[in-house]
């Protein structure tokens, strides 16, 4: 593992997302800050303010952000380049958003820790909502597979990696990672998945064959400090940026893997 600080001085960043069109990395802060990071200059600026802790972000095809905002005013929001506005409320602890190719937005509404009351929301482009059933133990980081067929998620309280077949709603449990609190996911171009962990300070690679390998680890918790979410960045998607909820910086890593482009629809519930 090669790792270094990308930027410092952020407010306990938990979510992180990459916009390939602009080359910017976005992250959120504990007091609602929306940060934009210039990868080349290694400099950040605050570009928005949300009504609560920004836990997760996803970038659409127009450079806007879907935001999961918790604590003060739990909601799903959009940052449109200027203001932050609410798209959906009636959520308990919205944690991470993921786009499907058709503009459907999937949101892990984690619920309360240890209470088994989490859920996975599906928000259609017209704003209609329903749920995918079967993951209740603090569903967290999620992503729609490159072919659009599967929604992959981790549960943090019951440390599992699972996936929904989006055509049928059928749930498949893929693996457990005992002794961890998994938080974030990112697809790799070899058909695998990065799984970043709030506890311990570690990132795994889940292989296509089900093998599990540690690709980044920091027992001191300084370079990686509760690496909750990760994204691949750069023209070749060959570097990883990790948020560090336990500290104040983003980490830039080379783990010897490449990512795949995420789905970035131009129209979704923010336009309804």
């Amino acid at each position: 593992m090669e790792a270094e600080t990308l930027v410092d001085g952020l407010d306990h960043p938990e979510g992180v997302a990459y916009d390939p069109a602009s080359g910017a990395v976005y992250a959120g802060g504990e007091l609602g800050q929306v940060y934009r990071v210039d990868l080349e200059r290694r400099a950040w600026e605050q570009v928005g303010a949300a009504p609560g802790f920004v836990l997760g972000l996803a970038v659409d095809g127009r450079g806007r952000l879907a935001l999961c905002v918790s604590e003060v005013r739990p909601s799903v929001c959009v940052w449109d380049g200027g203001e932050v506005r609410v798209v959906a409320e009636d959520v308990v602890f919205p944690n991470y958003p993921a786009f499907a190719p058709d503009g459907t937005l999937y949101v892990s509404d984690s619920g309360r820790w240890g209470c088994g009351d989490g859920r996975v929301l599906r928000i259609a482009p017209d704003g209609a909502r329903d749920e995918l059933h079967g993951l209740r133990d603090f569903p967290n980081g999620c992503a729609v597979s490159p072919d659009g067929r599967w929604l992959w998620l981790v549960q943090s309280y019951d440390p599992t990696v699972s996936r929904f077949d989006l055509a049928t709603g059928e749930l498949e449990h893929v693996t457990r990672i005992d002794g961890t609190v998994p938080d974030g996911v990112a697809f790799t171009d070899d058909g695998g998945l990065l799984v970043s962990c709030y506890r311990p300070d570690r990132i795994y690679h889940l292989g296509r064959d089900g093998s599990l390998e540690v690709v980044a680890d920091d027992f001191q918790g300084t370079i990686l400090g509760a690496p909750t979410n990760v994204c691949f960045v750069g023209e070749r998607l060959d570097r990883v940026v990790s948020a560090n909820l336990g500290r104040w910086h983003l980490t830039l890593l080379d783990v010897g893997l490449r990512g795949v482009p995420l789905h970035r629809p131009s129209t979704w519930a923010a336009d309804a």
Side-chain angles (χ1 to χ4, degrees):
M1 175 192 75
E2 296 181 10
E4 58 184 313
T5 297
L6 175 61
V7 292
D8 205 348
L10 308 185
D11 185 6
H12 301 287
E14 177 165 0
V16 65
Y18 176 61
D19 179 14
S22 65
V25 174
Y26 291 93
E30 189 170 8
L31 296 181
Q33 303 95 326
V34 179
Y35 300 112
R36 179 168 53 206
V37 178
D38 186 311
L39 266 178
E40 298 303 319
R41 293 176 47 239
R42 302 199 177 194
W44 64 266
E45 60 178 328
Q46 182 177 339
V47 295
F53 197 163
V54 178
L55 300 184
L57 314 88
V59 184
D60 74 7
R62 293 156 58 182
R64 302 176 299 177
L65 300 178
L67 306 173
C68 282
V69 179
S70 294
E71 295 185 357
V72 177
R73 185 182 178 185
S75 52
V76 178
C77 298
V78 58
W79 173 79
D80 61 9
E83 297 182 346
V84 173
R85 58 183 175 85
V86 174
V87 173
E89 295 186 284
D90 190 25
V91 284
V92 176
F93 198 80
N95 209 325
Y96 208 83
F99 285 117
D102 66 352
T104 299
L105 183 68
Y106 294 91
V107 174
S108 58
D109 186 6
S110 299
R112 297 166 296 171
W113 186 258
C115 292
D117 58 354
R119 57 183 180 163
V120 180
L121 298 177
R122 175 166 47 195
I123 306 176
D126 64 1
R129 287 192 289 171
D130 65 350
E131 297 182 23
L132 298 177
H133 298 284
L135 295 182
R136 300 185 60 82
D137 289 315
F138 215 82
N140 202 331
C142 56
V144 176
S145 61
D147 62 5
R149 178 181 175 184
W150 303 95
L151 175 68
W152 288 72
L153 301 99
V154 295
Q155 289 186 122
S156 294
Y157 187 77
D158 181 25
T160 56
V161 181
S162 304
R163 64 180 188 174
F164 284 101
D165 185 325
L166 295 180
T168 66
E170 183 178 352
L171 175 63
E172 176 186 342
H173 293 292
V174 178
T175 193
R176 292 181 60 86
I177 314 178
D178 289 321
T180 73
V181 180
D183 199 293
V185 296
F187 291 112
T188 56
D189 72 348
D190 59 2
L193 193 73
L194 289 188
V195 180
S196 52
C197 298
Y198 171 68
R199 297 283 90 190
D201 304 298
R202 183 178 298 163
I203 301 171
Y204 290 91
H205 177 232
L206 176 62
R208 188 172 186 173
D209 61 357
S211 61
L212 200 62
E213 176 189 7
V214 175
V215 294
D217 194 13
D218 181 7
F219 72 94
Q220 294 180 333
T222 53
I223 296 299
L224 292 177
T228 43
N229 285 284
V230 289
C231 63
F232 283 94
V233 303
E235 291 184 4
R236 293 168 48 85
L237 296 178
D238 58 355
R239 292 172 293 168
V240 174
V241 171
S242 168
N244 294 286
L245 177 59
R247 298 186 71 82
W248 304 271
H249 67 279
L250 302 182
T251 305
L252 183 65
L253 304 103
D254 183 350
V255 297
L257 296 164
R258 293 179 60 178
V260 296
L262 297 179
H263 303 295
R264 305 194 189 280
S266 295
T267 301
W268 53 288
D271 303 300

